[in-house]
Amino acid sequence: MDRPVCHCHGRRMCPKTNASCSDSADRLTVRIRRSGHCAVLTPRGEIDHGSVRVLDRALESLLDDADSIVLNMAEVSFMDSAGLHFLHRLDCLGRRHGIPTAAVNWMNQPRLLWELVHAPPTPSAKASGLVA
């Protein structure tokens, strides 16, 4: 029995979910709440390659009238490198438009991924010449 080709990975199955990646957009919703001129985005579900476009669209809708943007991560159960790239885009966008941004209330797996990527190099990595 043939299964659909994953449009994200070019494989028959999405390696993370054993389903077509087109299904992953259904696993993420974004609630936008405003507190004065501060916009609070609260994604719920998993931030991965197939679902990050939902966050991108929500962010684009805020650029004209938000003085600050807060990403409330309290309901994000999983994040992969696409989520890290989104956080980088959020930071760059904020800097470019002079809008303060923050990500708060991290759940365990997304927080651990963020910390892993942003951890200072270990002394052994420096000694091996792998990092400057």
Side-chain angles (χ1 to χ4, degrees):
M1 178 186 313
D2 281 345
R3 294 191 174 149
V5 173
C6 167
H7 298 289
C8 302
H9 300 99
R11 300 180 186 138
R12 291 201 181 272
M13 300 287 281
C14 179
K16 186 175 79 58
T17 64
N18 259 355
S20 166
C21 279
S22 61
D23 297 338
S24 63
D26 298 333
R27 291 193 313 266
L28 182 74
T29 59
V30 180
R31 185 175 65 246
I32 300 173
R33 178 177 55 85
R34 297 191 184 267
S35 178
H37 288 282
C38 177
V40 180
L41 281 86
T42 304
R44 180 179 188 170
E46 300 180 357
I47 301 174
D48 58 22
H49 184 77
S51 66
V52 75
R53 289 180 300 268
V54 174
L55 273 172
D56 286 333
R57 285 191 299 267
L59 183 59
E60 288 172 13
S61 73
L62 301 174
L63 292 180
D64 293 334
D65 60 351
D67 291 340
S68 61
I69 299 173
V70 175
L71 184 65
N72 180 1
M73 299 287 286
E75 298 179 39
V76 175
S77 58
F78 173 85
M79 179 176 77
D80 67 8
S81 61
L84 292 172
H85 288 283
F86 172 79
L87 290 166
H88 178 73
R89 287 193 305 276
L90 173 64
D91 181 60
C92 289
L93 189 92
R95 290 174 192 264
R96 192 170 44 249
H97 293 279
I99 301 171
T101 61
V104 299
N105 300 326
W106 294 77
M107 288 184 70
N108 196 37
Q109 187 277 336
R111 179 184 50 81
L112 291 173
L113 178 61
W114 178 260
E115 289 174 354
L116 176 68
V117 170
H118 291 87
T122 62
S124 60
K126 287 182 180 177
S128 70
L130 294 174
V131 295

